[in-house]
Structure formats: C-alpha cells, structure tokens
Amino acid sequence: MTSAGDPVADNGELDAVFADTARRTGASIGALYLLTPDEQSLRLDVLCGAPAEFAAPWSKVAVAAPAPVAVAFREEHLVWVGSQEEMARTYPRTSVVLPYPLVLAAAPVTGTRRWGALLLMWPATRPPYMTGRERGHITASCRRLARLLEEAAERGRPPSGDERTRVVPLAPEDRSDSPAMAAADFAERLPGGSCALNLEGQVTYVSSGACDLLDCEAGRLLGTVPWQSLRWLDDPTYEDRYRAAVLSREPVSFTACRPPDHWLEFHLYPDASGISIRIVPSGAQPPPAPASSHSARPATPARAGRLYQLTHLAAGLTEVVGVQDVVALVAEQVMPAFGARGLVLSTAEAGRLRITGYRGYDPHIIERLDGLSVDTDFTPAGRALSSGVPAFFSDPEEMRRLYPEAPQVSGKQAWAFLPLIISGRPVGCCILSYDHPRAFPAEERAVMTSLAGLIAQALDRARLYDTKHELAHGLQQAVLPRALPEIAGLRVAARYLPATRGMAIGGDFYDLIRLGDTAAAAVIGDVQGHNVAAAAVMGQVRTGIYAHATVGTSPDQILARTNRLLADLAPDLFTSCLYARLDFACRRVTLASAGHPPPLLRLADGDTRPADVSPGPLLGIDPEAVFPLTEIPLTPDSTLAFYTDGLIEKPGTDLDDAIAGLAHHLAHADERDLDLLIDHLLSKAGTDGQRADDIALLVLHHDAVHHDAG
C-alpha cells in the first residue's frame, strides 16, 4: 500500500501515461523533460525506447537553447521536424548530435503552470507530416501529464530537479531478458539469426554459430556489451552503428575484422524490444591499413557516448555568448562527461589568474585562489599556462610532491589542469577536480587536451562579447535618463529592454520633463536600428526635444523643429516619436505624433483603449512636414502607457490586434505598483525569449487628489 505522497505511486502513474502516449502514437523513443527549480533548464525525467546513456548529452537542455524541446516549452506550441534535412536546416545544433534519419515532435506540458515538454521520435519511414488526430492525441496526453504533475505537487511531491532519469519499457507487457525469451524475440524478428541485444546493448541471446564466428563462448558474451567482451569491436565506429540502429529503428550493417584476418559482416535489425544481429563471413576485400589496424592499437579508443557528449559540447560552445555562459556549459557538459566534482575556470588578465566561474568549491577557497600570479608556484595552474602543457595529478601525494600547500587548500583528491591557449597566447586555465583519487588514461588526457582548445576559443570570444556588451550598456545608460523627475500628481515607471541580438544597444528612448508647477511632458521614440548609429541619433533627438520643450514650445512645433534638425543632419535613419503635454490645471493632454504607435489610456473605471491620435510622418523624411495636434481629457485616476513597436510587433500578427491585446492586458493589470504593472505587460507580450527589436515602455498614473492637494 502506498501513501498519498509516495513517490513510487506518483511516478508509476506518470510513467504509465508517458509510455502509453509513446506507444499509441507509434513513437520509437519518448522523453519527458521537466523544468528545473531555477527555471533555467529542462531536465530529462523519464525516457523510453532507448538507454539512459544515449540521452546523456541531452539530459539537461537550457530553456533558451535553440532545440526543439526548448522551443516547444518556451513558445508553448507543438514543434514538428519531418526529416533529417529539416532538422539540419532549422535546428543545426541538434542535428550535429542526432545525425540519424528521424521524425520528431516536441510539445509543451502545460496546465496551471508550465511543467516541461514531451519529446517523441519516429523512424524516418513514417510520413513526414502529422495528422490532426495525432496532434490532438499528443496535446491531450500533455494535458494529462500536466494534471498528474499538479496532483503530485498538491500531495507534496513536486518533481525534483535532482532525480536521475527513469527508463520505462515502451512495450506494454513485461519482457524478460532470459535467453529463452530473447531467443523468441529474435526468431520473430529475423529467421536463422545469430545473436540479439537489448536496447542497453547487452547480449541477450547468442547461437552456437555466432560463438564460432566470434571465437567466444556464450558465457563470456551473455549479459555483456560486445565492445567490452570482444576487444576487437572496441571502437567508436562500431558502437555508433549500434547507436544509429537504436535511434533510427532502421537496419544497419558494418564489416569488422576478427584478428588476425577473419572479416565478418554484421547486419543489425532493430525494433522496440532490441536488436537482432546476423553475422556472416565477409567476401569483401579488407579495408585500407588504418581501418584494419584497430585491434593492434595500444590505447583504448574513446567511448562513443563520451564522444557524443563532447560533440554536443563543441556545438554548444559555438553558440555561447558571455563568459558565464561558457562556465555554465562547461559545468553542465564537461564535468559529467569526465565525472569531475569540481571546476575552476580562470582568465589571464594583467599577469593575474582571475577566476571567472567555479563549481564544487567553497567560496572562501575561491577567494584565496583568485588573483594568483600567472607564474605562481602555489598551484600547477601557472606552470601549465606558461608551458602550454596540461598537468594531471592522480592523488594528493602526487600533487604534494611538487606543490605542498595546494592539496590542503582545495580539499580535492585528483586534478586535471588544462591550459587555455590560442595561437600561443594564454587565455586562461580550466581545472577539473575530483573528490577521490583517480587515474587519467592516455586516451582521456588526449580528449581533455583537445577539449581545452575548444574552451579557449569560446572563452576568448565570450570575453570580447562581454567587453562590447559593457561598452554598449554604458553608452545606452548615458543617453537614457538616469532617473525620472518627481512630479506632483503623477506616479511614473519606465523600462528599457535591448534587442537580444547585436550590441544590446538601440534607438528606443523615453523621457519625462517637468514644465513648471502645473505641467509635464512625456516623450517616447524609436530610431531605426539597434546599433551605435541609432543610439547617437537617439541622443540628438532627445536633446533637441528637451531643449524646445523647456522653453514652452507647443508639441507640434517641438516635433517640427526636431524634424528639421534631423533633415539637416541627414543621418539616413528615420525616427518615430510621440510627445504628450500634460496640463494639470486645465486637465487635458495635448499630443503630437511622428508615425509612432498611439498611447493607451485607462480610465478610473478600467475602460482601456488606444488614444485616437492623428499621426504625422516619421522624423527626418520631409523637412516641411506638419504634425497634427490631438487633445484628450486628463481625468482623475487615469493611466497613460507609452510604448515602442518592439513590444507589439510579432511576425504574422496584425498591428491593430496587437495594440488591442496590449490594451486588454493593461485593463486587467494591478496599477497600485507601476513597476509590477510593467512586468505584467512585458510578461504578457512574451518578451522573456529572443527579442528582434528594442522595447521602451513609460507608464504614468494621474493621481488627481494628490496633485490638487499640492
């Protein structure tokens, strides 16, 4: 009997619904990803149709990653990839680590909150399209999964971000890995076969003929994976063929040499229960010498699983942006790949090693290690960086002989110091550490050394990006108002969000200007583009408007004079602008627009609509342009929201519909805290992901009682 909060009961029902979904859709592989507690990643919770080892490179996917499962979760819609070509075209990073003919669907698992995403995969032999019935079944199953997760959370069993991936059987009936049942499965798949593997790669059945061809007794093969029990098959190429059969569910074949010169053909026939393998002598000529010499190599080749993890890392490193992104990716991919429990990533700056990120260390230890000289003899980092040669220490005693104090400081038991070098120039050092002594085989050292070159390239690019980003941010802050003035009768809040691509700087601007004791002006505008040129024009426009506004010029003339200024400067960048003069004494707002979206007006009773403003042309086009005036009442407890088009423009969305949607969100927002109100509008507009344009937002609430009292 299980209690209400029993995790076994919770997981059992969830796993059953998950497996049933994969089975009913005919999927060969299914995966359920759940949002981690920090809401930054999706963690693989349940898997069916493949071993957990295969999913190691994708056990955690960043929410912001350009991957199907992340896109489905982030944008809350079903993602369909109908072919390998479409995968390479739409999701190139994913195609690097899934180079197999597949059809794929990812769907959000959403109920009262966003829980995660469901991933389903089919062989490429299925039609490259999805029917309405299939789509409906997947959507309904995702809702059911969301309900089960919500019920578990209500019972005090929310999904944990620390649990390991569970692998559940895809087939509805219980299967046994006994030789008798495996032989029955094998006979059903392939007449006259020779051996069978389960989806974990273990041999479950082997015939006497296979034992003769492989020159190995059945007892040494059953329950093992071939590339471990047969050393001459211990090559990533052969393991990759098995991996291709499991993931694609299509027949695969390869030829291998059993020493000294017996060439064998292996034909793999996969299905949901395992793989049948037919082994026959090969009549083909032996391949060239490099391929036939695998069995004589002294070094053990790298496991295909690790190579896939590192391939995934290499693809990820090409897309990281800032230094902390590099740290996070190395921590999520490199540490698990090599079983490391600690990480320190440092950069060489002005003769010092500055620690830019770490995992698995006490902050006090990092404080002591941060800022060491690049030629320090306190740890091996300095020597590794100056020589360019990695250093490996298998136990504390080995470290203590050369660096007596280092083991006591870190408390670790084994270390790999990987210098990060680009064209002979030191970039920094990556340190992997372990809680227990361990050996570093030659093959592993070679992989780590190659990996250090990839990290060095990514870290150098990330440092350059961070420098440019800081420069852009400083310039942006210099041209935007540092603080909005306090004006009696007004509560104000503003927000600026740069585009997520480019230099994170743009031409959107806003301002609030005090005009004596009874008036104020609100300004918002958008210069074409989001680069340094746009920011420069924005600064000129904002300065021109401010200068004309403070001498009492009317709104239409302010835009007219600023327009002539831009026409004279001929910046080749057009600008939209909206200027509003708020007259508290006469209780009216006078507006003039230069091609800018209309402000939203929310009245005291909650009625919200766009203000009916007659727009003039964009600034900088026609020096003789005229800008019509519009007047609206300034009523007690009313709210005005000014915004730029980055908040409302979305591909395939009508602009009027987008403005109406924004008005709806404003009408239902809590206006007691304007900063929270802005958060609400930004959230409803879906600005958390990629932004192709800048966004500026200025909200004013007229508190008539306070103003009259003043």
Side-chain angles (χ1 to χ4, degrees), residues 160-251:
S160 169
D162 299 325
E163 296 178 5
R164 292 187 177 182
T165 300
R166 302 188 303 281
V167 179
V168 299
L170 184 60
E173 68 274 9
D174 291 331
R175 289 184 175 266
S176 172
D177 284 342
S178 69
M181 288 300 298
D185 284 342
F186 174 80
E188 292 176 358
R189 288 193 294 263
L190 182 67
S194 51
C195 73
L197 308 181
N198 62 20
L199 292 180
E200 300 291 336
Q202 298 165 333
V203 179
T204 56
Y205 169 81
V206 60
S207 67
S208 57
C211 292
D212 292 339
L213 287 170
L214 299 175
D215 193 24
C216 186
E217 296 178 357
R220 291 178 51 197
L221 291 171
L222 290 172
T224 70
V225 292
W227 43 90
Q228 291 177 354
S229 53
L230 300 170
R231 298 294 296 174
W232 48 277
L233 285 179
D234 188 13
D235 188 291
T237 302
Y238 306 141
E239 187 181 348
D240 178 69
R241 295 294 79 206
Y242 157 74
R243 184 182 297 265
V246 172
L247 293 179
S248 70
R249 293 292 199 267
E250 291 187 348

Side-chain angles (χ1 to χ4, degrees), residues 15 121 125 149 407 422 548 698:
D15 294 354
M121 299 164 62
T125 51
L149 291 166
I422 299 178
H548 293 305
L698 174 65

Side-chain angles (χ1 to χ4, degrees), residues 62-140:
V63 168
V69 68
V71 172
F73 172 82
R74 194 168 61 239
E75 301 182 4
E76 296 191 62
H77 66 77
L78 190 144
V79 172
W80 174 260
V81 181
S83 66
Q84 190 176 9
E85 293 74 18
E86 185 179 350
M87 177 78 80
R89 185 171 59 253
T90 311
Y91 301 101
R93 176 172 164 181
T94 304
S95 71
V96 170
V97 289
L98 273 179
Y100 308 114
L102 295 168
V103 175
L104 176 151
V109 177
T110 304
T112 57
R113 53 165 281 193
R114 295 191 299 173
W115 288 100
L118 175 68
L119 182 67
L120 298 171
M121 299 164 62
W122 294 266
T125 51
R126 71 148 285 157
Y129 58 84
M130 175 173 285
T131 66
R133 183 184 296 272
E134 288 175 316
R135 182 181 293 269
H137 178 70
I138 292 174
T139 302

Side-chain angles (χ1 to χ4, degrees), residues 339-538:
R341 304 296 296 174
L343 165 72
V344 175
L345 194 63
S346 60
T347 57
E349 300 177 7
R352 299 281 176 181
L353 285 171
R354 299 294 180 185
I355 295 177
T356 56
Y358 65 94
R359 298 289 190 276
Y361 283 87
D362 188 282
H364 298 295
I365 296 175
I366 296 300
E367 288 179 9
R368 183 170 180 183
L369 297 175
D370 191 21
L372 293 175
S373 171
V374 293
D375 58 359
T376 180
D377 56 4
F378 182 71
T379 76
R383 180 177 296 180
L385 192 59
S386 61
S387 66
V389 179
F392 300 90
F393 299 86
S394 299
D395 55 63
E397 185 57 36
E398 187 177 351
M399 170 77 81
R400 194 175 292 112
R401 285 197 295 268
L402 295 176
Y403 304 92
E405 297 181 71
Q408 286 79 13
V409 172
S410 71
K412 301 296 183 181
Q413 300 291 303
W415 301 262
F417 289 81
L418 308 175
L420 306 179
I421 311 285
I422 299 178
S423 302
R425 175 172 58 87
V427 174
C429 188
C430 178
I431 305 170
L432 298 177
S433 58
Y434 300 82
D435 292 342
H436 302 284
R438 76 188 300 274
F440 294 93
E443 165 263 329
E444 190 173 66
R445 296 187 183 203
V447 174
M448 285 185 175
T449 302
S450 300
L451 185 62
L454 296 175
I455 297 174
Q457 295 282 350
L459 186 62
D460 198 45
R461 290 194 307 270
R463 290 172 63 190
L464 178 61
Y465 173 85
D466 284 349
T467 300
K468 290 182 177 180
H469 181 78
E470 291 172 7
L471 173 63
H473 181 73
L475 178 58
Q476 186 76 55
Q477 295 306 309
V479 293
L480 287 173
R482 293 186 178 181
L484 297 176
E486 293 186 4
I487 297 175
L490 278 185
R491 287 191 294 119
V492 302
R495 193 74 53 85
Y496 170 80
L497 296 178
T500 53
R501 298 177 182 177
M503 284 190 65
I505 185 171
D508 289 17
F509 66 95
Y510 60 85
D511 208 347
L512 183 66
I513 307 169
R514 184 194 300 275
L515 301 177
D517 296 331
T518 62
V523 189
I524 194 161
D526 182 0
V527 181
Q528 176 187 9
H530 38 88
N531 49 34
V532 174
V537 173
M538 181 257 279

